Amino acid sequence: MASGSTKLPPLPLLRALGLFRDGLAALHRRLIPGHIALLEMQMTGFLAQAINAAAQLGIADALADGPKKPAELARVLDVDEDGLRRLMRLLLSFDVFAERRDGSYALNGISRALSSDAPITLRDMLLFFGSDYHRNHWTHLADAVRTGSAVGPALEGATFFEYAATHREFGDLFDRAMSSIGTLSIDPLLAAYDFGRYRTLVDLGAGQGNLLTAILRRTQSTRGVIFDLPEVVAPLPAELARLGLADRCTVETGSFFESVPKGGDGYILKHIVHDWTDAEAERLLRTVHAAMDPSSTLLIIEMVLPEHHRPHASKFIDLEMLVNAGGRERSESDYRNLLARSGFTLHRTISTAAPDCILEAHPAH
């Protein structure tokens, strides 16, 4: 549950580098023939599948104890050596792995995140995005665009969350994937915002509690409440005891559409609101509003859709929400209006070094 704390570059520098990268990519697209640019974009799907295959095969874990030549690595993985060489040839060309002078393969900064025991691992996230369920749903993106609805009810007769609840192997993978994604933003969030100002933080839909436990480990006086479905939080009491946080953090269970714990002066909704339609999100926010004191603060942590037409992670995840969850990413004005309809006033939006922003809101008076 550790965040793998790292020193972050200054936010203005990260923004400048992002603009420079996007500018170079846009220039490249404009200078080459359009059909070539389109082909290059399409072929990035092959790269995504290659990375997913590396996660499935456990290549990074097999290299965790040191470099291995192709024949040795193929034996360890029990795969065809020629097939392995062909997979690694593509991945090496995008610096996903490293090749030493003796021809052996090794981990580098990118592939280390494929290791299951890395401080920040994306292995479960990659396995989730590469799962049969996920790939099959994305082949129906056109259907989701036609209907404006998630495709799960038509394909499986269940919404995404209903399917995850009844197919627990998939549901557990999803929970782990979301936890791994969540770790990416923990350090940027802690660098951008003083969570220690709150006496009691209630993390709603907290999953494995990564953000809240990171906050509590960096503060001395803040107490926490982790709130999620019973099957999600079942392992957490033992983990909190292991981290020495059992005396400052409790675990409560339930549905945030019905009721949420009272008594917090800060309430966190991280990567929750975007899962739902406007009507569902308003219902959720009204439930939270009913539990809050007039002086409490609501912290919504989400990607915020930008006004520009440059690439942004939120534009990818917005389609993920359309295809699978039925929710959506929102602009700052969308959130301001949604919060106003739910009894809140948006006070400010704080950018971070990650794609996530912190939307700080208060009950309207």
Side-chain angles (χ1 to χ4, degrees):
M1 297 173 75
S3 65
S5 180
T6 56
K7 184 173 177 59
L8 297 170
L11 187 55
L13 175 61
L14 288 175
R15 287 176 174 165
L17 290 173
L19 287 171
F20 180 68
R21 175 201 61 202
D22 293 344
L24 283 180
L27 180 62
H28 171 74
R29 290 193 297 270
R30 291 167 185 159
L31 290 178
I32 64 176
H35 60 279
I36 298 299
L38 190 61
L39 180 62
E40 288 183 349
M41 292 181 210
Q42 179 63 42
M43 291 184 70
T44 59
F46 297 166
L47 175 61
Q49 287 300 111
I51 295 172
N52 176 260
Q56 290 186 50
L57 295 170
I59 294 176
D61 284 347
L63 295 174
D65 60 353
K68 290 180 175 61
K69 291 189 175 181
E72 180 187 3
L73 182 59
R75 285 195 302 272
V76 170
L77 298 174
D78 192 24
V79 301
D80 177 72
E81 181 182 344
D82 180 61
L84 177 64
R85 286 178 180 271
R86 294 163 73 175
L87 173 64
M88 294 296 286
R89 181 165 54 206
L90 174 61
L91 295 175
L92 287 166
S93 66
F94 284 89
D95 298 315
V96 178
F97 289 92
E99 185 176 35
R100 297 162 65 96
R101 290 183 178 180
D102 63 358
S104 60
Y105 301 132
L107 296 179
N108 59 12
I110 296 176
S111 52
R112 201 160 285 115
L114 277 169
S115 301
S116 56
D117 61 351
I120 297 179
T121 174
L122 298 184
R123 185 170 184 268
D124 288 322
M125 181 203 75
L126 294 169
L127 292 175
F128 168 70
F129 284 140
S131 65
D132 291 342
Y133 178 97
H134 193 271
R135 285 200 307 266
N136 182 42
H137 278 212
W138 267 82
T139 63
H140 292 271
L141 172 59
D143 294 329
V145 172
R146 288 189 188 101
T147 64
S149 301
V151 301
L155 296 177
E156 290 92 20
T159 67
F160 176 84
F161 293 108
E162 289 169 345
Y163 184 91
T166 55
H167 297 73
R168 280 317 302 168
E169 183 176 354
F170 176 81
D172 290 342
L173 174 62
F174 171 70
D175 292 339
R176 295 195 305 272
M178 293 306 99
S179 292
S180 68
I181 292 175
T183 60
L184 296 176
S185 60
I186 287 178
D187 286 329
L189 289 169
L190 295 181
Y193 193 81
D194 177 19
F195 291 93
R197 70 179 70 178
Y198 299 103
R199 297 185 307 276
T200 302
L201 278 168
V202 183
D203 195 349
L204 304 171
Q208 301 302 301
N210 291 315
L211 174 59
L212 187 54
T213 54
I215 293 170
L216 296 181
R217 294 175 75 180
R218 296 194 187 191
T219 62
Q220 298 300 317
S221 58
T222 301
R223 304 182 66 84
V225 179
I226 292 174
F227 180 82
D228 212 318
L229 297 172
E231 62 269 22
V232 175
V233 299
L236 281 181
E239 179 67 8
L240 291 172
R242 186 187 70 82
L243 295 173
L245 296 174
D247 61 333
R248 287 200 292 135
C249 189
T250 59
V251 178
E252 298 190 30
T253 63
S255 167
F256 45 48
F257 284 112
E258 298 173 2
S259 65
V260 302
K262 296 183 178 181
D265 57 329
Y267 285 77
I268 299 173
L269 284 167
K270 180 174 183 282
H271 298 169
I272 300 297
V273 179
H274 74 159
D275 286 331
W276 307 100
T277 65
D278 283 351
E280 292 165 329
E282 185 175 338
R283 178 185 164 201
L284 161 61
L285 290 171
R286 287 188 177 278
T287 302
V288 178
H289 186 282
M292 295 174 65
D293 294 328
S295 60
S296 298
T297 299
L298 174 64
L299 303 173
I300 295 177
I301 300 171
E302 297 281 5
M303 297 182 193
V304 175
L305 282 169
E307 301 297 332
H308 60 67
H309 291 302
R310 298 189 302 275
H312 191 271
S314 62
K315 299 177 183 180
F316 291 92
I317 302 303
D318 187 42
L319 288 182
E320 168 71 10
M321 293 299 104
L322 172 62
V323 169
N324 278 312
R328 64 190 311 119
E329 300 302 328
R330 295 174 173 87
S331 66
E332 184 177 29
S333 62
D334 291 334
Y335 275 111
R336 181 177 289 106
N337 293 333
L338 174 63
L339 285 163
R341 295 195 305 271
S342 308
F344 291 94
T345 300
L346 178 62
H347 176 60
R348 58 175 174 157
T349 301
I350 302 140
S351 298
T352 75
D356 286 321
C357 294
I358 304 169
L359 297 113
E360 187 182 85
H362 304 282
H365 299 298

